[in-house]
Amino acid sequence: MPKKTIVFFLIALVIVLLDQGIKFSVKLNMELGEEIQLTGDVVKIHFIENRGADFGLTFMHIAEGFGVDMSEETAKLILSLFSLGALGIIGSFLYRASEQDSTLPFFVALVFVGAMGNIIDRTFYGLWFSDMNTYEGGLFHGRVLDMLYVDVWSGYLPGFLGGSYCNFFPIINLADAAISIWVVTILLFQKRVF
């Protein structure tokens, strides 16, 4: 295996370990919904667990459109298994991209990290934390732990945007941040990245 490939996979491993370390620390030391202010009222650690059901529910409704009846738990299981397959494809792409003389492999590593961090949560947190979870867990039935919150604005959207209450910045985790960095970089610096 080429040295560059090893370096990119090591970068991914370090970020995944940091992501999981932060999540374990929050899960073991904070109550669900608890908040710690880091810089006044702006940057906070706010512990929530994301059911990850949004995409699972979307998948469930699509299946119902084809006449297939399934529960939310089955839809989440299929989504988790699909995510594992996608992770394998991203890892394969990272391996091939690491041979290129560009910054693309670094950014593919960020996507790999983001996918891996949240897949670990969905796959294993239902088992690892079964004695402290507030939900029925099990393998592939965990929830994604989110905690990084930058409270720059919250309020009601104008009527033409739905009029609902929202926060400008969602509560995320380090894995989500890695994917967000990738998306912003691709949008701003396409030519340099590729």
Side-chain angles (χ1 to χ4, degrees), residues 125-151:
Y125 278 25
L127 289 174
W128 292 344
F129 300 112
S130 61
D131 59 334
M132 59 189 308
N133 286 332
T134 59
Y135 58 91
E136 188 174 325
L139 190 64
F140 296 111
H141 295 288
R143 293 186 180 175
V144 175
L145 197 148
D146 293 321
M147 83 297 291
L148 303 174
Y149 182 38
V150 180
D151 190 2

Side-chain angles (χ1 to χ4, degrees), residues 8 10 21-22 29 31 76 94 98 101 108 117 123 126 129 133 163 170:
F8 288 117
L10 283 175
I22 292 168
N29 297 299
E31 295 292 324
K76 282 172 57 179
L94 174 59
S98 65
D101 189 26
V108 174
T123 303
F129 300 112
N133 286 332

Side-chain angles (χ1 to χ4, degrees), residues 35 41-46 48 146-155 157 165-174 176-181 184:
E35 185 172 274
D41 286 339
V42 180
V43 180
K44 307 171 184 178
I45 301 292
H46 185 97
I48 65 167
D146 293 321
M147 83 297 291
L148 303 174
Y149 182 38
V150 180
D151 190 2
V152 288
W153 179 84
S154 59
L157 293 173
Y165 185 83
C166 73
N167 296 317
F168 177 74
F169 193 85
I171 300 171
I172 62 173
N173 56 50
L174 191 58
D176 297 331
I179 293 175
S180 300
I181 290 168
V184 169

